[in-house]
Amino acid sequence: MLTAAAVVPQETRQQADDKAFAAPAAEWWRAIGYFLCLALVGLRFYPALVLLAFVLAMRWRQDRYAFLIELTYFFGGFAFLHSNALPFKPSDLALVVSVCAVFIYRRSPMVSRILWLTLAYFAAIFLIATTSDESIRVQVVMMRNYFTIIGFMIPFLVFANRDFEWDRFIRSVVLHVLVVCGFYVVDTFLICGMVLVPGSLAIESLNGPVYSDFNNLLWRPGDFMWWPRHYPPGLYWMALCIVPLARRQLRLSWQQWLLVILSLVSCRTMTFMAGLLVGFICFRGKVRQALVIGAASVVAITGLYFADSAMGSPLRIASTVDQFSSLEAAADNEDLAEFGSGRMAQILPKWELLGDLHRYWLGLGFLHPTLTTNPKYQIKNEYYVDVSKSEETATGVEVTQFQTILDCGFLGLIVQTAFFVGIYFVIRRLRHSQYYLCVLVAVSVFGIGGFAGLTQRDGLLLLAVTLGAVLLANPAQGRVLNFQNHTDPLP
């Protein structure tokens, strides 16, 4: 007969095994195959579009969770597709599909409330835009980025008349994140180029940015002294993994953690890492443990700072920290312009223009870098090191919060904040609502460095899919099951 002492460790091991992340080999290979197809499309090998469509069709039939994630990767690009990889914007296709879903699906009361809140947000920023001298036709081109949040309707289309299991969704997210981490690691440390994630970085040239493509691969295979930095959009989905990992609902092996850490080294983006760290601390669930994690992070960052500084700052930790110390010594605007890796150089003249035109509260409008021709909005930026870029339109800054101020002023920033926080208060009593809040916080911190944020389509798509998944996981409140002309009642 087994004693209680013998049974408890066995149960403990069983619980640990249940939390350990694992997936069948076939699922790993399917995810790898999909991202290889997406990388080929990103390299402008357009025959791969046929293969990509075939793979998505198979995913639709076999695994709707993987289909939703992979389709969203296509819609948002996420470092696989750069802005000019295709003759059309996949995010515009996502916008069209989402709007169609609004009209063809019967909505639960909670979904209706969120839709009315979303329409009020769209109407508010549109009304603010009408106060600008810029043509509305031009402004809508940029304004549609803000509209991407309507993508929360896409999960309803994917799971129409199907059950939705939150745990399966999260495990599928983790699997795809780990595969993308592997792509970042191989691309950086083995291929030494931009091949597996071709939209993650461009090489600057006299004619503008040059991206890696099928006929001109940017890589140095075997040159292990050159580890190109890869921007982090492909890793944004880590934000969805914060809550289950922070609360130990899911456990990664040390090999999987190593893959994650190497991918973060590959991107070397401090604001992205800060967003993950802030999310991990804030959503740990226990204040004491959160404080311990925060203190340990400070100690670790301090050690890494001195190590990175001694090596010339290849990890960009020392250079980031040193910018804050140099900020205190700034004697004039030229010194201030160097802060934030040149981001202040983007902001200063545009901030001055806001003051000159008395548009702090309403912004300059949703100006387009090339389509806006009104001389009022053309500036000469004397803070740029590259003189050839000094003449520009007063838009396009990397700090997404300030971009909102440029577009629609302090009033627009208040409306934007109230909208996204308001959504949380609408869903706060639902299971898994913390995931939406965690992604919102992480994406907002990413935006300080010009990544994701609440003005860019990839960040908004991730937040939208998270919101849709939370609603689907609560059938009594958020589930949308039937077409409007269907006769069966909602559950």
Side-chain angles (χ1 to χ4, degrees):
M1 180 179 295
L2 292 174
T3 64
V7 173
V8 172
Q10 183 177 358
E11 292 178 349
T12 304
R13 286 195 299 270
Q14 182 63 42
Q15 292 175 355
D17 290 341
D18 291 341
K19 293 181 179 180
F21 177 77
E27 293 187 15
W28 290 101
W29 285 113
R30 291 189 190 110
I32 291 171
Y34 171 78
F35 285 121
L36 285 175
C37 292
L38 193 60
L40 284 173
V41 175
L43 290 171
R44 300 187 187 184
F45 183 71
Y46 294 129
L49 277 171
V50 178
L51 186 58
L52 189 72
F54 174 77
V55 171
L56 283 174
M58 294 298 295
R59 292 303 233 180
W60 171 267
R61 294 179 58 188
Q62 298 171 351
D63 187 346
R64 293 294 177 93
Y65 301 93
F67 175 82
L68 174 61
I69 295 165
E70 292 171 2
L71 182 67
T72 308
Y73 261 97
F74 171 72
F75 282 154
F78 292 102
F80 287 90
L81 307 179
H82 59 82
S83 58
N84 299 318
L86 293 171
F88 63 93
K89 303 290 185 185
S91 56
D92 288 339
L93 182 59
L95 192 60
V96 171
V97 170
S98 303
V99 172
C100 291
V102 172
F103 291 102
I104 67 175
Y105 270 86
R106 185 168 56 185
R107 300 173 294 277
S108 70
M110 178 164 288
V111 173
S112 294
R113 286 197 295 272
I114 294 175
L115 274 174
W116 281 114
L117 188 62
T118 303
L119 292 176
Y121 171 57
F122 292 170
I125 60 176
F126 184 85
L127 287 174
I128 294 174
T130 59
T131 67
S132 172
D133 291 340
E134 183 57 276
S135 165
I136 287 294
R137 184 174 60 180
V138 172
Q139 291 193 70
V140 167
V141 175
M142 301 302 293
M143 200 186 305
R144 75 188 197 279
N145 295 347
Y146 288 68
F147 297 162
T148 310
I149 189 61
I150 197 69
F152 74 85
M153 294 298 297
I154 293 175
F156 297 144
L157 288 174
V158 176
F159 284 91
N161 299 313
R162 286 175 176 265
D163 292 331
F164 182 89
E165 298 177 24
W166 182 263
D167 289 342
R168 287 187 62 186
F169 170 67
I170 290 299
R171 283 184 171 270
S172 189
V173 169
V174 172
L175 183 145
H176 285 80
V177 166
L178 289 175
V179 170
V180 174
C181 286
F183 274 44
Y184 268 78
V185 171
V186 173
D187 222 20
T188 301
F189 302 110
L190 297 180
I191 294 178
C192 304
M194 282 67 73
V195 178
L196 294 182
V197 276
S200 60
L201 184 63
I203 303 299
E204 292 294 331
S205 70
L206 294 177
N207 298 321
V210 176
Y211 285 94
S212 183
D213 62 45
F214 189 73
N215 295 316
N216 182 29
L217 293 177
L218 302 178
W219 64 338
R220 297 180 188 174
D223 186 359
F224 300 121
M225 297 304 294
W226 186 61
W227 292 345
R229 179 190 177 194
H230 290 65
Y231 287 149
L235 304 176
Y236 289 168
W237 287 73
M238 285 184 177
L240 250 176
C241 306
I242 291 174
V243 172
L245 293 176
R247 298 185 177 179
R248 298 181 181 177
Q249 299 165 354
L250 201 62
R251 182 171 57 84
L252 300 183
S253 66
W254 70 267
Q255 296 96 330
Q256 292 165 345
W257 274 116
L258 179 62
L259 198 63
V260 170
I261 292 170
L262 287 176
S263 67
L264 294 177
V265 174
S266 169
C267 75
R268 301 196 289 278
T269 304
M270 294 302 106
T271 49
F272 173 67
M273 297 181 195
L276 297 178
L277 183 60
V278 168
F280 202 90
I281 294 173
C282 293
F283 293 87
R284 180 65 183 87
K286 297 180 180 179
V287 176
R288 181 178 178 181
Q289 293 181 357
L291 292 175
V292 171
I293 293 173
S297 300
V298 171
V299 173
I301 292 172
T302 302
L304 288 172
Y305 167 81
F306 289 108
D308 190 42
S309 180
M311 294 185 294
S313 194
L315 299 178
R316 303 183 72 250
I317 297 174
S319 59
T320 301
V321 175
D322 289 343
Q323 290 182 57
F324 288 92
S325 59
S326 63
L327 182 63
E328 296 181 359
D332 51 29
N333 282 349
E334 291 187 2
D335 292 336
L336 184 61
E338 298 178 4
F339 178 71
S341 301
R343 290 180 177 87
M344 285 300 296
Q346 300 172 345
I347 292 174
L348 285 174
K350 294 156 191 174
W351 179 259
E352 293 171 0
L353 183 63
L354 278 172
D356 293 342
L357 298 178
H358 308 289
R359 298 285 298 186
Y360 284 126
W361 279 98
L362 296 173
L364 302 176
F366 295 84
L367 308 181
H368 191 279
T370 57
L371 297 180
T372 296
T373 57
N374 190 330
K376 177 190 294 186
Y377 303 122
Q378 307 303 314
I379 62 173
K380 186 172 183 179
N381 195 329
E382 299 177 351
Y383 300 112
Y384 286 155
V385 176
D386 188 350
V387 180
S388 63
K389 297 181 179 180
S390 59
E391 295 183 0
E392 62 174 348
T393 303
T395 188
V397 297
E398 293 184 38
V399 181
T400 58
Q401 291 82 357
F402 188 78
Q403 183 62 53
T404 300
I405 295 173
L406 280 179
D407 292 339
C408 44
F410 286 114
L411 180 59
L413 183 62
I414 293 170
V415 169
Q416 183 184 74
T417 303
F419 166 66
F420 286 102
V421 174
I423 287 180
Y424 173 70
F425 279 98
V426 172
I427 67 171
R428 70 187 186 281
R429 297 186 185 278
L430 301 185
R431 289 177 301 160
H432 314 301
S433 61
Q434 291 295 308
Y435 282 79
Y436 168 82
L437 186 60
C438 181
V439 173
L440 175 62
V441 170
V443 163
S444 299
V445 177
F446 297 165
I448 297 174
F451 299 99
L454 301 178
T455 64
Q456 298 188 19
R457 285 170 280 192
D458 46 14
L460 287 173
L461 268 174
L462 175 60
L463 188 61
V465 168
T466 304
L467 174 60
V470 170
L471 293 170
L472 280 173
N474 293 266
Q477 298 293 333
R479 189 68 184 273
V480 179
L481 286 175
N482 305 303
F483 287 101
Q484 287 186 350
N485 61 356
H486 203 288
T487 56
D488 292 341
L490 283 170

